[in-house]
mmCIF file of all heavy atoms in Angstrom:
data_model
loop_
_atom_site.group_PDB
_atom_site.id
_atom_site.type_symbol
_atom_site.label_atom_id
_atom_site.label_comp_id
_atom_site.label_asym_id
_atom_site.label_seq_id
_atom_site.Cartn_x
_atom_site.Cartn_y
_atom_site.Cartn_z
ATOM 1 N N PHE A 1 -3.107 2.227 11.133
ATOM 2 C CA PHE A 1 -3.170 3.218 10.059
ATOM 3 C C PHE A 1 -3.456 2.485 8.753
ATOM 4 O O PHE A 1 -2.738 1.561 8.374
ATOM 5 C CB PHE A 1 -1.853 3.971 9.965
ATOM 6 C CG PHE A 1 -1.811 5.018 8.879
ATOM 7 C CD1 PHE A 1 -2.312 6.291 9.104
ATOM 8 C CD2 PHE A 1 -1.283 4.732 7.635
ATOM 9 C CE1 PHE A 1 -2.273 7.253 8.107
ATOM 10 C CE2 PHE A 1 -1.236 5.683 6.636
ATOM 11 C CZ PHE A 1 -1.743 6.949 6.869
ATOM 12 N N ARG A 2 -4.521 2.879 8.082
ATOM 13 C CA ARG A 2 -4.873 2.263 6.794
ATOM 14 C C ARG A 2 -4.945 3.344 5.724
ATOM 15 O O ARG A 2 -5.565 4.383 5.915
ATOM 16 C CB ARG A 2 -6.219 1.547 6.907
ATOM 17 C CG ARG A 2 -6.699 0.967 5.575
ATOM 18 C CD ARG A 2 -7.913 0.085 5.735
ATOM 19 N NE ARG A 2 -9.067 0.806 6.250
ATOM 20 C CZ ARG A 2 -10.275 0.258 6.391
ATOM 21 N NH1 ARG A 2 -10.458 -1.017 6.090
ATOM 22 N NH2 ARG A 2 -11.281 0.974 6.849
ATOM 23 N N SER A 3 -4.305 3.084 4.595
ATOM 24 C CA SER A 3 -4.309 4.040 3.486
ATOM 25 C C SER A 3 -4.606 3.306 2.185
ATOM 26 O O SER A 3 -4.029 2.248 1.906
ATOM 27 C CB SER A 3 -2.950 4.738 3.387
ATOM 28 O OG SER A 3 -2.883 5.534 2.222
ATOM 29 N N VAL A 4 -5.512 3.876 1.405
ATOM 30 C CA VAL A 4 -5.833 3.354 0.071
ATOM 31 C C VAL A 4 -5.481 4.425 -0.951
ATOM 32 O O VAL A 4 -5.885 5.581 -0.807
ATOM 33 C CB VAL A 4 -7.331 2.998 -0.054
ATOM 34 C CG1 VAL A 4 -7.630 2.435 -1.445
ATOM 35 C CG2 VAL A 4 -7.751 2.013 1.023
ATOM 36 N N LEU A 5 -4.698 4.068 -1.970
ATOM 37 C CA LEU A 5 -4.302 5.012 -3.019
ATOM 38 C C LEU A 5 -4.655 4.427 -4.375
ATOM 39 O O LEU A 5 -4.264 3.298 -4.694
ATOM 40 C CB LEU A 5 -2.792 5.293 -2.939
ATOM 41 C CG LEU A 5 -2.235 6.271 -3.978
ATOM 42 C CD1 LEU A 5 -2.823 7.664 -3.782
ATOM 43 C CD2 LEU A 5 -0.706 6.320 -3.903
ATOM 44 N N ARG A 6 -5.401 5.219 -5.171
ATOM 45 C CA ARG A 6 -5.810 4.755 -6.503
ATOM 46 C C ARG A 6 -5.641 5.868 -7.525
ATOM 47 O O ARG A 6 -5.887 7.031 -7.239
ATOM 48 C CB ARG A 6 -7.274 4.301 -6.489
ATOM 49 C CG ARG A 6 -7.533 3.079 -5.608
ATOM 50 C CD ARG A 6 -8.873 2.433 -5.933
ATOM 51 N NE ARG A 6 -9.087 1.256 -5.117
ATOM 52 C CZ ARG A 6 -9.889 1.200 -4.064
ATOM 53 N NH1 ARG A 6 -10.571 2.282 -3.712
ATOM 54 N NH2 ARG A 6 -10.041 0.101 -3.371
ATOM 55 N N ASN A 7 -5.236 5.495 -8.724
ATOM 56 C CA ASN A 7 -5.203 6.405 -9.862
ATOM 57 C C ASN A 7 -6.576 6.354 -10.514
ATOM 58 O O ASN A 7 -7.012 5.290 -10.959
ATOM 59 C CB ASN A 7 -4.114 5.963 -10.854
ATOM 60 C CG ASN A 7 -3.885 6.979 -11.958
ATOM 61 O OD1 ASN A 7 -4.810 7.641 -12.418
ATOM 62 N ND2 ASN A 7 -2.647 7.083 -12.397
ATOM 63 N N ILE A 8 -7.282 7.472 -10.564
ATOM 64 C CA ILE A 8 -8.647 7.463 -11.088
ATOM 65 C C ILE A 8 -8.705 7.871 -12.561
ATOM 66 O O ILE A 8 -9.795 7.899 -13.148
ATOM 67 C CB ILE A 8 -9.584 8.355 -10.248
ATOM 68 C CG1 ILE A 8 -9.131 9.807 -10.256
ATOM 69 C CG2 ILE A 8 -9.677 7.841 -8.825
ATOM 70 C CD1 ILE A 8 -10.099 10.751 -9.524
ATOM 71 N N ASP A 9 -7.570 8.187 -13.177
ATOM 72 C CA ASP A 9 -7.551 8.597 -14.577
ATOM 73 C C ASP A 9 -7.074 7.505 -15.526
ATOM 74 O O ASP A 9 -7.442 7.501 -16.704
ATOM 75 C CB ASP A 9 -6.654 9.828 -14.760
ATOM 76 C CG ASP A 9 -7.355 11.106 -14.327
ATOM 77 O OD1 ASP A 9 -8.606 11.136 -14.380
ATOM 78 O OD2 ASP A 9 -6.671 12.063 -13.934
ATOM 79 N N ARG A 10 -6.238 6.597 -15.053
ATOM 80 C CA ARG A 10 -5.699 5.573 -15.948
ATOM 81 C C ARG A 10 -5.303 4.352 -15.130
ATOM 82 O O ARG A 10 -5.099 4.430 -13.918
ATOM 83 C CB ARG A 10 -4.483 6.103 -16.726
ATOM 84 C CG ARG A 10 -3.332 6.512 -15.850
ATOM 85 C CD ARG A 10 -2.200 7.167 -16.634
ATOM 86 N NE ARG A 10 -1.091 7.508 -15.765
ATOM 87 C CZ ARG A 10 -0.106 6.688 -15.450
ATOM 88 N NH1 ARG A 10 -0.081 5.467 -15.969
ATOM 89 N NH2 ARG A 10 0.856 7.060 -14.636
ATOM 90 N N MET A 11 -5.208 3.236 -15.821
ATOM 91 C CA MET A 11 -4.780 2.011 -15.149
ATOM 92 C C MET A 11 -3.313 2.142 -14.766
ATOM 93 O O MET A 11 -2.487 2.570 -15.568
ATOM 94 C CB MET A 11 -4.964 0.811 -16.075
ATOM 95 C CG MET A 11 -6.413 0.445 -16.327
ATOM 96 S SD MET A 11 -7.268 -0.091 -14.815
ATOM 97 C CE MET A 11 -6.368 -1.587 -14.448
ATOM 98 N N GLU A 12 -3.021 1.781 -13.530
ATOM 99 C CA GLU A 12 -1.638 1.818 -13.069
ATOM 100 C C GLU A 12 -1.333 0.497 -12.388
ATOM 101 O O GLU A 12 -2.133 0.009 -11.577
ATOM 102 C CB GLU A 12 -1.423 2.982 -12.097
ATOM 103 C CG GLU A 12 0.026 3.179 -11.718
ATOM 104 C CD GLU A 12 0.276 4.524 -11.028
ATOM 105 O OE1 GLU A 12 -0.645 5.370 -11.021
ATOM 106 O OE2 GLU A 12 1.383 4.720 -10.512
ATOM 107 N N GLY A 13 -0.208 -0.101 -12.724
ATOM 108 C CA GLY A 13 0.137 -1.418 -12.214
ATOM 109 C C GLY A 13 0.214 -1.455 -10.706
ATOM 110 O O GLY A 13 0.642 -0.501 -10.059
ATOM 111 N N TYR A 14 -0.206 -2.564 -10.115
ATOM 112 C CA TYR A 14 -0.137 -2.750 -8.676
ATOM 113 C C TYR A 14 1.160 -3.467 -8.325
ATOM 114 O O TYR A 14 1.524 -4.465 -8.954
ATOM 115 C CB TYR A 14 -1.346 -3.548 -8.183
ATOM 116 C CG TYR A 14 -2.627 -2.774 -8.303
ATOM 117 C CD1 TYR A 14 -3.415 -2.844 -9.455
ATOM 118 C CD2 TYR A 14 -3.039 -1.931 -7.275
ATOM 119 C CE1 TYR A 14 -4.575 -2.110 -9.566
ATOM 120 C CE2 TYR A 14 -4.205 -1.190 -7.383
ATOM 121 C CZ TYR A 14 -4.973 -1.286 -8.525
ATOM 122 O OH TYR A 14 -6.122 -0.544 -8.641
ATOM 123 N N PRO A 15 1.856 -3.004 -7.313
ATOM 124 C CA PRO A 15 3.152 -3.593 -6.976
ATOM 125 C C PRO A 15 2.989 -4.912 -6.245
ATOM 126 O O PRO A 15 1.914 -5.259 -5.758
ATOM 127 C CB PRO A 15 3.765 -2.548 -6.036
ATOM 128 C CG PRO A 15 2.579 -1.935 -5.356
ATOM 129 C CD PRO A 15 1.493 -1.915 -6.406
ATOM 130 N N PHE A 16 4.089 -5.662 -6.186
ATOM 131 C CA PHE A 16 4.093 -6.850 -5.352
ATOM 132 C C PHE A 16 3.943 -6.442 -3.889
ATOM 133 O O PHE A 16 4.304 -5.349 -3.490
ATOM 134 C CB PHE A 16 5.390 -7.641 -5.536
ATOM 135 C CG PHE A 16 5.494 -8.310 -6.875
ATOM 136 C CD1 PHE A 16 6.363 -7.831 -7.833
ATOM 137 C CD2 PHE A 16 4.704 -9.417 -7.167
ATOM 138 C CE1 PHE A 16 6.458 -8.440 -9.067
ATOM 139 C CE2 PHE A 16 4.793 -10.030 -8.400
ATOM 140 C CZ PHE A 16 5.671 -9.550 -9.351
ATOM 141 N N PHE A 17 3.420 -7.375 -3.099
ATOM 142 C CA PHE A 17 3.253 -7.118 -1.670
ATOM 143 C C PHE A 17 4.613 -6.900 -1.009
ATOM 144 O O PHE A 17 5.569 -7.627 -1.271
ATOM 145 C CB PHE A 17 2.552 -8.311 -1.026
ATOM 146 C CG PHE A 17 2.530 -8.257 0.470
ATOM 147 C CD1 PHE A 17 1.652 -7.419 1.129
ATOM 148 C CD2 PHE A 17 3.406 -9.025 1.218
ATOM 149 C CE1 PHE A 17 1.630 -7.352 2.499
ATOM 150 C CE2 PHE A 17 3.394 -8.976 2.589
ATOM 151 C CZ PHE A 17 2.499 -8.146 3.241
ATOM 152 N N ALA A 18 4.702 -5.889 -0.153
ATOM 153 C CA ALA A 18 5.932 -5.597 0.569
ATOM 154 C C ALA A 18 5.686 -5.763 2.060
ATOM 155 O O ALA A 18 4.770 -5.145 2.612
ATOM 156 C CB ALA A 18 6.412 -4.176 0.272
ATOM 157 N N ALA A 19 6.457 -6.621 2.695
ATOM 158 C CA ALA A 19 6.345 -6.811 4.137
ATOM 159 C C ALA A 19 7.161 -5.738 4.838
ATOM 160 O O ALA A 19 8.358 -5.609 4.593
ATOM 161 C CB ALA A 19 6.840 -8.197 4.535
ATOM 162 N N GLY A 20 6.519 -4.965 5.671
ATOM 163 C CA GLY A 20 7.233 -3.928 6.413
ATOM 164 C C GLY A 20 7.926 -4.496 7.638
ATOM 165 O O GLY A 20 8.107 -5.717 7.774
ATOM 166 N N ASP A 21 8.294 -3.635 8.559
ATOM 167 C CA ASP A 21 8.985 -4.035 9.772
ATOM 168 C C ASP A 21 8.102 -4.993 10.576
ATOM 169 O O ASP A 21 6.909 -4.760 10.758
ATOM 170 C CB ASP A 21 9.303 -2.781 10.590
ATOM 171 C CG ASP A 21 10.265 -3.066 11.737
ATOM 172 O OD1 ASP A 21 10.584 -4.247 11.960
ATOM 173 O OD2 ASP A 21 10.681 -2.109 12.403
ATOM 174 N N LEU A 22 8.694 -6.077 11.046
ATOM 175 C CA LEU A 22 7.947 -7.069 11.819
ATOM 176 C C LEU A 22 8.103 -6.872 13.325
ATOM 177 O O LEU A 22 7.473 -7.577 14.111
ATOM 178 C CB LEU A 22 8.422 -8.483 11.444
ATOM 179 C CG LEU A 22 8.336 -8.845 9.955
ATOM 180 C CD1 LEU A 22 8.815 -10.270 9.738
ATOM 181 C CD2 LEU A 22 6.914 -8.688 9.436
ATOM 182 N N ASP A 23 8.942 -5.930 13.739
ATOM 183 C CA ASP A 23 9.205 -5.724 15.161
ATOM 184 C C ASP A 23 8.075 -4.935 15.815
ATOM 185 O O ASP A 23 7.614 -3.923 15.282
ATOM 186 C CB ASP A 23 10.520 -4.979 15.369
ATOM 187 C CG ASP A 23 11.726 -5.841 15.024
ATOM 188 O OD1 ASP A 23 11.541 -7.071 14.867
ATOM 189 O OD2 ASP A 23 12.831 -5.292 14.898
ATOM 190 N N VAL A 24 7.655 -5.388 16.993
ATOM 191 C CA VAL A 24 6.648 -4.686 17.781
ATOM 192 C C VAL A 24 7.380 -3.735 18.722
ATOM 193 O O VAL A 24 8.193 -4.177 19.544
ATOM 194 C CB VAL A 24 5.788 -5.681 18.580
ATOM 195 C CG1 VAL A 24 4.795 -4.931 19.463
ATOM 196 C CG2 VAL A 24 5.053 -6.618 17.634
ATOM 197 N N PRO A 25 7.144 -2.419 18.656
ATOM 198 C CA PRO A 25 7.935 -1.460 19.445
ATOM 199 C C PRO A 25 7.738 -1.572 20.959
ATOM 200 O O PRO A 25 8.688 -1.457 21.715
ATOM 201 C CB PRO A 25 7.455 -0.098 18.936
ATOM 202 C CG PRO A 25 6.829 -0.364 17.614
ATOM 203 C CD PRO A 25 6.242 -1.733 17.715
ATOM 204 N N PHE A 26 6.484 -1.762 21.387
ATOM 205 C CA PHE A 26 6.217 -1.848 22.826
ATOM 206 C C PHE A 26 4.905 -2.584 23.049
ATOM 207 O O PHE A 26 4.092 -2.743 22.138
ATOM 208 C CB PHE A 26 6.164 -0.453 23.473
ATOM 209 C CG PHE A 26 5.099 0.456 22.922
ATOM 210 C CD1 PHE A 26 3.764 0.312 23.284
ATOM 211 C CD2 PHE A 26 5.433 1.479 22.040
ATOM 212 C CE1 PHE A 26 2.782 1.144 22.767
ATOM 213 C CE2 PHE A 26 4.459 2.317 21.520
ATOM 214 C CZ PHE A 26 3.129 2.151 21.888
#
């Protein structure tokens, strides 16, 4: 799943990278 989100009206700060869950379910 890939998602891109952008504010097209004004500059908005980009957050630090967040590592999600590292566990492989199956």
Side-chain angles (χ1 to χ4, degrees):
F1 180 84
R2 176 171 62 175
S3 173
V4 181
L5 180 65
R6 295 196 178 103
N7 189 325
I8 61 175
D9 281 333
R10 61 186 182 87
M11 290 296 295
E12 187 166 350
Y14 292 91
F16 290 107
F17 170 77
D21 191 354
L22 304 181
D23 290 347
V24 177
F26 60 77

